[in-house]
Each structure stands twice: as C-alpha cells, then as structure tokens.
Amino acid sequence: MPSFQRAAKGALADTQQRRNLAHATATIRAKRAAVVGEVADWEALRVAGADAKDEALHHLPDYLEQLEANLTARGATVHWARDAAEANQVVIDVARAQGADEVVKVKSMATQEIELNEALEEAGIAAWETDLAELIVQLGQDRPSHILVPAIHRNRAEIREIFRREMGRAGRAAPEDLTDEPARLAEAARLHLREKFLRAKVAVSGANFAVADTGTLVVVESEGNGRMCLTLPQTLVSIVGVEKVLPTFADLGTMMQLLPRSSTGERMNPYTSTWTGVTPGDGPQEVHVVLLDNGRSRVLADEVGREALRCIRCSACLNVCPVYERAGGHAYGSVYPGPIGAVLNPLLRGVSSDVDKSLPYASSLCGACFEACPVRIDIPSLLVHLRTQVVDEASGRSAEAAGMRAASWVFGDHRRLEAAQRAASLGGRLLGGRTIRSVPGLGAWTQARDVPTPPTETFRQWWARSHRNDGHTGEDA
C-alpha cells in the first residue's frame, strides 16, 4: 500500500466521494449530538466505560481464562489463534467438517482484519456478507471505507447499478425495474440474501463484547441479518479479538448506553443478540469461539499504546475527523480507517511499511476524536507517541534527525552557539529582509512555509549596543 499522503491525493480528487462523506458524517454527527445531550452525565458514563475496559486489559489473562471456562461449561468449543492464519484455518476446518461449501457472515471487523473471505475462497468455500453495506462492498468488489458504514462512499444511484450488475452472478438477481429508492434497494437485498440464510449450514460472526463472568457473547446490529445468522444455521463460528472481553455482565449495561449513541446516534440499537454456548433445540447446536490475538499482545505490552485496545468500534472519531471527512477510508490502507485506524494499524502491524509509518501523520491533532470517543481514548497523544516511534525507526537517517543532531552539537557549548548566532546575524544582514522560500533537502518543510529570516543582530549584540552607555556588556545579558 502507498503512504496515506499519496493515497489521499487520489481520494481528494474524487468530488462525488467527498460529497457523500460530508453528507453522511454530518448527518451522523447531528444525531449523535442530540442523543448524547439527553444523558444527564455523559462524562461519568465515558469514565465508567473506560474503567471497565482498563480493568479487563490490566487483568486480561485472568478474564480470558474465565471467559473460556464459562463458554466451555455451556457447550462451546474455544480455540486460541495467535494470528490470522490460525484463525482462518479454524473456520475452514469447521466448514469442511460440516460439508459446507458456503458460509453466511455477520458484519465483523475482526474477520475483515484477518481477510477471512479471501482465505475461504482459496479453500473453495464461498463467504456471503449479509449486512447491507457489506453486501454492497462485496458485490462491488470494493473495500470498506468506514467502520460502521462500510459503503459510506457510495450513493444510491451507484448502489442500484452495483445491484443490477452483480446480484445475478452471486444468486438471485435484482429486479429489472429496480430504482434507487432506499426501500426498493433494501427489498432487493432481502430477497437476494434470504435464500442464503435458509440454506446455510455454517455462519460466521464477530462479537462486540464477550462477558467473562457469564461466557456471553454479544452482537449489536441494526438490520436483523445478524439475528438470522446467529439462529438459523446449525453451526456458528465467532471470531473475537481478545480485547473485546468485559469483566462482568453489569459492565455490558454501560457499553449498551455508550455504543448506540456514539455509533448510529440512537438511544438503543434495533437488534442486540446475546448467546452463551449451546441451547439444546434452539439456535446453533455447535458453537465455536476463536479468541484472536493477531498483534494485540504487542499492543498490550506498549504502556502508552494499550489505551487503543479500549476501542469499541463505534466510529465516532471518524465522523468528527476533518482529515477522514475529506480523504475517506481507503487512503488508510486497512479495515480500520480514521483516527482510530491511524493508531490501531501501526500498533498492530508495526511502523515498517510505507502506509503504517505515514498513518500517525494523518491527523491535524485537533483533538475532536478524543472529545467524541465514548471510552476516552486519547488518540492525539497516541499519534504523537507513534510519531516518536516512526522517527526512532528511521535511526537518525532522516534530514530532521540530522538537523536535531546538529542543533544538539551547537547548543552543547556556548562558544559554538555564539559563533552560530554571529553567522546567522551576518546572514540576516546579507539577505537584507528578503524571504527564504525553500531550502534544498527540506522540501517537505519549505513547500508549505517560509524559513524565518535571521535577525541582523542577536539579543546579546542588541543589549551591548543599546546599553553601552550604562557600562553593560553583552556578557550581562
């Protein structure tokens, strides 16, 4: 993937996408502000949410073992996956054991992160996305550009064309007279998906939360497709990032107030599904839970960066970010876009690639993301922390690092500093007030700003000159 800055240039030229993003994010922002304003003490709720997540993260091994024990006691099979390959293999093995050549999926960031669909396709198993926005992205052979609204960059006319062109290749075709009315588009998606729901033997989900003291998994969604996936197939595989654990069921109450308000701007979401292992005669009779690491242990080991693991994937930070609103999600090169993606991706993957080392700079550090975050993740501070890692990774090879070493040498001795000041004042007199527009080797710095013109005399020189009659010298200054 190219760096964020290079990818964003192309996105900024797409005026249709910018209009779509501006309209969608402004609508969600207004809805969120209205429902958050109804809460008497929203800040106290944010603190409670952050405390619950911190408690889980600070004692994560204990809570994960408790979660595993409770899931196992209620009939689920728990798998531990160190990386994407191990998690994908579990799903492939389960599907093959059931003789399934297709699975239906609930919207899940974790499965996108590990590229499960691609792994299943290589194994000869079709994966059908059932969330409307994810269906649009899949049929359009596109990539998600928003955590909550993956097809936020598409408008209704574009969606109609995708449905008319692609639905027939993946199952039931779209009606010939399909229009771009939202109700007609939703109807076409329902008819297309229903046959897949009814014949699927295996479903794959993620989980918004995993409650340790009861072994309960929770999926929050808006369309009912998740409920269909979680109840109709005989086998269910849930891939859960280890950071999704909550200590107690009471903590879930806090999260269920924070998440819908912060994500869709609703007091409560339309569908909340909870399941605890296997219930005989009701729902899937074989339940597998994959507890996924995939870099999270490395993030947890970072005393500053671990704060990012509080994230509940509400996307509130995306909707208030001026950079995201203009560049869109694809420029971030990951399923995690926006401010939280700018910290999560480098933390999970390291800062060795072009895109990951550029992401910490994909921000104006305005602080709007921190104000919107329901679990008080200080994203601006994390971005600065990651910028430090990027500079350290460069090991002093950059022009900035060379400049800092030179400054350290000059400031290390007053004689060198005074000599540099005399040279600078001489340069100022030679320039005669002219402005330096660029400096070779510092293109990125001087493309957008002028270099300050050196003064014609230093403070010491001014003091000595102006107080000569008082008997003072430059040494007094």
Side-chain angles (χ1 to χ4, degrees):
M1 284 293 297
S3 69
F4 173 85
Q5 288 80 3
R6 290 183 61 189
K9 281 186 178 179
L12 289 170
D14 187 340
T15 54
Q16 180 64 59
Q17 174 175 285
R18 290 179 61 182
R19 277 195 295 271
N20 296 348
L21 285 168
H23 174 72
T25 55
T27 302
I28 298 173
R29 280 199 304 270
K31 291 178 63 180
R32 175 191 174 277
V35 295
V36 166
E38 296 173 349
V39 180
D41 195 343
W42 176 251
E43 189 60 25
L45 202 58
R46 291 177 76 204
V47 171
D51 288 347
K53 294 294 289 186
D54 282 348
E55 168 64 20
L57 294 173
H58 291 159
H59 306 90
L60 191 57
D62 296 334
Y63 286 120
L64 286 173
E65 289 180 2
Q66 185 183 15
L67 175 67
E68 179 188 29
N70 283 322
L71 283 166
T72 304
R74 288 161 178 77
T77 301
V78 176
H79 309 260
W80 296 82
R82 285 171 293 192
D83 53 29
E86 290 187 0
N88 289 335
Q89 193 60 50
V90 171
V91 182
I92 292 169
D93 291 344
V94 170
R96 285 175 172 166
Q98 297 300 318
D101 60 1
E102 65 177 356
V103 301
V104 288
K105 288 184 63 196
V106 187
K107 181 177 180 297
S108 160
M109 302 304 297
T111 61
Q112 293 174 12
E113 173 191 327
I114 62 176
E115 298 182 337
L116 175 63
N117 289 11
E118 291 80 357
L120 288 171
E121 185 178 358
E122 285 185 13
I125 301 168
W128 305 117
E129 298 289 351
T130 63
D131 175 86
L132 177 57
E134 291 288 358
L135 176 67
I136 295 166
V137 169
Q138 185 178 39
L139 291 175
Q141 300 177 14
D142 201 353
R143 290 181 292 130
S145 64
H146 191 278
I147 290 175
L148 181 69
V149 195
I152 196 171
H153 55 292
R154 298 288 192 186
N155 60 26
R156 290 185 293 168
E158 291 174 312
I159 294 168
R160 180 192 60 184
E161 290 308 309
I162 291 172
F163 280 8
R164 294 177 63 178
R165 187 179 68 243
E166 301 293 339
M167 269 188 170
R169 300 177 185 178
R172 179 168 178 156
E176 288 294 329
D177 62 345
L178 182 65
T179 69
D180 63 1
E181 295 175 39
R184 293 295 311 279
L185 295 172
E187 180 188 29
R190 276 198 302 272
L191 295 172
H192 177 80
L193 290 171
R194 188 161 298 272
E195 60 184 19
K196 294 179 168 56
F197 285 131
L198 294 176
R199 71 171 183 245
K201 298 178 182 177
V202 178
V204 178
S205 82
N208 294 95
F209 306 105
V211 183
D213 71 346
T214 60
T216 303
L217 301 186
V218 184
V219 161
V220 176
E221 43 117 5
S222 299
E223 301 170 11
N225 65 297
R227 183 71 56 83
M228 302 278 275
C229 288
L230 297 169
T231 54
L232 290 176
Q234 282 297 297
T235 301
L236 172 63
V237 186
S238 299
I239 299 178
V240 184
V242 293
E243 83 283 10
K244 295 297 182 71
V245 67
L246 291 177
T248 68
F249 206 83
D251 294 323
L252 183 60
T254 301
M255 296 302 169
M256 294 309 296
Q257 295 177 73
L258 290 169
L259 181 55
R261 285 181 167 85
S262 301
S263 57
T264 54
E266 298 171 297
R267 299 185 185 93
M268 62 182 294
N269 54 287
Y271 294 89
T272 300
S273 299
T274 65
W275 68 103
T276 305
V278 176
T279 302
D282 184 15
Q285 297 302 291
E286 186 173 323
V287 173
H288 297 261
V289 179
V290 182
L291 297 176
L292 175 69
D293 187 314
N294 206 35
R296 287 159 176 79
S297 292
R298 181 171 58 192
V299 182
L300 192 63
D302 185 329
E303 293 184 358
V304 178
R306 70 176 56 153
E307 191 176 321
L309 294 179
R310 289 184 197 158
C311 178
I312 58 174
R313 310 290 192 267
C314 68
S315 71
C317 60
L318 279 68
N319 301 325
V320 298
C321 177
V323 176
Y324 173 83
E325 184 175 315
R326 287 157 180 80
H330 292 159
Y332 293 81
S334 165
V335 298
Y336 301 118
I340 191 61
V343 296
L344 261 183
N345 295 314
L347 285 168
L348 288 170
R349 305 186 303 207
V351 292
S352 57
S353 69
D354 286 345
V355 64
D356 288 324
K357 72 175 64 171
S358 69
L359 287 176
Y361 298 91
S363 170
S364 64
L365 301 181
C366 68
C369 48
F370 172 65
E371 296 298 326
C373 178
V375 286
R376 294 179 55 81
I377 300 173
D378 189 353
I379 293 176
S381 294
L382 295 182
L383 289 166
V384 173
H385 170 65
L386 286 165
R387 291 180 186 185
T388 304
Q389 291 187 11
V390 172
V391 173
D392 290 345
E393 192 81 9
S395 301
R397 296 189 297 272
S398 66
E400 180 183 7
M404 289 299 168
R405 282 199 302 274
S408 175
W409 181 79
V410 170
F411 283 106
D413 187 297
H414 72 92
R415 288 165 297 189
R416 291 196 286 266
L417 176 60
E418 289 164 3
Q421 289 174 329
R422 287 194 295 273
S425 60
L426 175 61
R429 289 194 292 275
L430 292 175
L431 285 169
R434 295 189 294 274
T435 301
I436 303 173
R437 300 294 183 191
S438 65
V439 175
L442 294 178
W445 278 86
T446 55
Q447 281 174 1
R449 57 178 72 80
D450 297 330
V451 177
T453 304
T456 55
E457 62 180 352
T458 67
F459 175 77
R460 287 172 181 273
Q461 292 166 338
W462 168 83
W463 181 273
R465 176 174 56 77
S466 60
H467 293 76
R468 187 177 300 128
N469 296 333
D470 302 336
H472 296 297
T473 67
E475 297 299 320
D476 300 326

